[in-house]
Amino acid sequence: MEYRDKLVLAPMVRVGTLPFRLLAAEYGADITYGEEIIDHKLVKCERKVNEYIGCTDFVEKGTDLVVFRTCPLEKSQVVFQIGTSDAVRALTAAQLVCKDVAAIDINMGCPKSFSISGGMGAALLSKPELIHDILTTLKRNLDIPITCKIRLLKSSQDTVELARRIEKTGVSALAVHGRRVADRPRDPAKWSEIANVVSSLSIPVIANGDVFEYDDFKRIKVATGASSVMVARGALWNASIFSPEGKLHWEEVKREYVRKSILWDNDVKSTKHTLKEMIMHYSSLELPEGKGVIKSENLADIAKLYGEEKYYKLVNANRSFVNGSTENSLSCQSNSLLT
């Protein structure tokens, strides 16, 4: 995977599922990160080819819980992000998915309690030796690119020193979120401190922070000198931010997300979470649409709410037909439904 001059979808909890990744890619994202998945959870999974949907699932053993879903359409661009605090466990988890993804990323920037309480995410920023152990172990044992994503440390010099240590592990790229752990989303991203990292490294740096319009991709690249640019909230609110022709109306983008969620049988809780995030940015959950999403219990309810009942029935009828046919593949049928 090449990390220069790329537009990148950031990893987002409960959002970076297959439908949203494919949506972003359709609008122009070159690289799409999945949401962080904890190594403890992944090592309890088994890989299953889901011929009914046309995808590959990593399912928690003994349950029907799909922890990660991918498909051949995104094989060349999807990055699997692992939350870990142990090199051996990280490798075990990565080995399960490495043949189905384009790269493995280690999350070293998440400030959420579920991540840092286990010594993962941003908790790793203060443990350079452990960072080195994890990254070198993955690099030594895997044949796909290894990357990581960090936040700024207390001082710019500290960030640069850590970035240099990371570079020495042989990673293919480093993503830098221009905020510190204590910063909130409303605090401006510090592009100048990302620039300090860029000027100190020879590997590609992916700049992240305060990208909300297509023009911001160029602005942050000029300001930081970064090789590529990553966007989170700007893409969540309107995934067509990746389109050089300009953003589509959010209602159109939202409807396409609903269709992809139906097509790929996305978890309804994830679908509802993403829709609510979109609605809250442009409207209110107190209006009929928001209340309808909250009350929805399954994808059929979502389809009805957004006037996609015909599409929902078509997708499921098509699956039933393909499932009983030896001459067709669901992935081909799914591709035709996407267009």
Side-chain angles (χ1 to χ4, degrees):
M1 176 183 284
E2 175 58 48
Y3 287 91
R4 298 189 185 278
D5 296 318
K6 302 298 182 183
L7 305 184
V8 186
L9 175 69
M12 289 181 280
V13 177
R14 297 179 66 186
V15 173
T17 52
L18 178 59
F20 196 81
R21 296 194 304 266
L22 291 177
L23 182 69
E26 182 177 290
Y27 290 127
D30 302 300
I31 299 173
T32 55
Y33 280 59
E35 63 178 320
E36 175 194 18
I37 295 178
I38 305 302
D39 56 7
H40 286 287
K41 181 176 286 290
L42 190 60
V43 297
K44 297 176 183 177
C45 293
E46 56 185 341
R47 180 184 185 274
K48 293 184 176 181
V49 175
N50 188 331
E51 295 180 355
Y52 189 68
I53 306 298
C55 59
T56 300
D57 291 339
F58 292 84
V59 183
E60 188 172 331
K61 295 175 183 177
T63 74
D64 295 324
L65 177 64
V66 177
V67 174
F68 179 68
R69 171 168 287 170
T70 185
C71 73
L73 288 174
E74 65 168 5
K75 172 68 167 61
S76 65
Q77 66 189 98
V78 62
V79 178
F80 187 92
Q81 189 183 72
I82 299 176
T84 187
S85 60
D86 180 87
V88 174
R89 197 166 55 243
L91 177 60
T92 302
Q95 287 173 327
L96 285 172
V97 298
C98 64
K99 296 187 185 306
D100 294 290
V101 299
I104 298 291
D105 182 83
I106 300 300
N107 179 5
M108 301 181 184
C110 181
K112 302 292 186 181
S113 59
F114 79 87
S115 189
I116 61 175
S117 63
M120 300 173 288
L124 287 173
L125 296 175
S126 60
K127 301 175 182 178
E129 295 300 330
L130 179 54
I131 288 175
H132 181 272
D133 190 22
I134 293 171
L135 295 177
T136 54
T137 297
L138 294 179
K139 180 68 179 176
R140 189 168 54 244
N141 291 281
L142 299 177
D143 294 326
I144 62 174
I146 307 301
T147 65
C148 63
K149 182 172 184 285
I150 67 171
R151 281 186 173 238
L152 301 177
L153 300 184
K154 289 184 178 180
S155 74
S156 182
Q157 184 57 39
D158 288 342
T159 307
V160 168
E161 289 180 7
L162 177 62
R164 284 173 172 162
R165 296 191 67 162
I166 289 172
E167 181 179 38
K168 290 178 181 178
T169 67
V171 294
S172 298
L174 172 66
V176 182
H177 184 168
R179 291 184 175 87
R180 295 182 172 83
V181 174
D183 290 342
R184 302 275 66 85
R186 64 178 177 273
D187 297 319
K190 301 169 181 64
W191 290 1
S192 62
E193 294 195 31
I194 299 178
N196 292 338
V197 174
V198 173
S199 64
S200 302
L201 304 185
S202 59
I203 61 171
V205 173
I206 306 169
N208 176 215
D210 290 351
V211 176
F212 302 113
E213 303 293 339
Y214 187 83
D215 289 347
D216 290 337
F217 287 118
K218 182 176 180 180
R219 289 181 54 243
I220 192 171
K221 281 194 72 175
V222 170
T224 64
S227 299
S228 296
V229 180
M230 176 182 283
V231 56
R233 288 177 295 158
L236 171 58
W237 298 333
N238 191 324
S240 65
I241 187 177
F242 294 105
S243 173
E245 284 78 37
K247 286 194 291 190
L248 300 175
H249 193 281
W250 74 286
E251 292 284 3
E252 183 177 344
V253 175
K254 183 173 54 178
R255 188 171 297 278
E256 183 58 29
Y257 170 69
V258 168
R259 289 167 67 90
K260 281 183 168 53
S261 291
I262 293 169
L263 181 60
W264 296 102
D265 194 28
N266 196 43
D267 175 71
V268 68
K269 292 181 180 179
S270 169
T271 299
K272 288 172 62 174
H273 175 80
T274 303
L275 288 171
K276 287 190 289 185
E277 290 289 336
M278 293 179 182
I279 293 168
M280 286 189 292
H281 182 67
Y282 292 99
S283 180
S284 170
L285 292 177
E286 297 302 315
L287 295 176
E289 179 190 4
K291 291 180 178 180
V293 169
I294 292 171
K295 291 180 181 178
S296 294
E297 297 182 356
N298 48 49
L299 289 177
D301 291 343
I302 295 291
K304 183 177 182 180
L305 179 65
Y306 286 97
E308 294 292 346
E309 295 143 294
K310 183 178 179 180
Y311 184 78
Y312 180 84
K313 292 177 181 178
L314 175 64
V315 167
N316 284 281
N318 182 71
R319 285 182 184 140
S320 298
F321 170 75
V322 173
N323 197 42
S325 172
T326 59
E327 299 179 357
N328 296 286
S329 72
L330 186 55
S331 59
C332 291
Q333 296 290 330
S334 297
N335 287 341
S336 68
L337 285 169
L338 278 167
T339 59

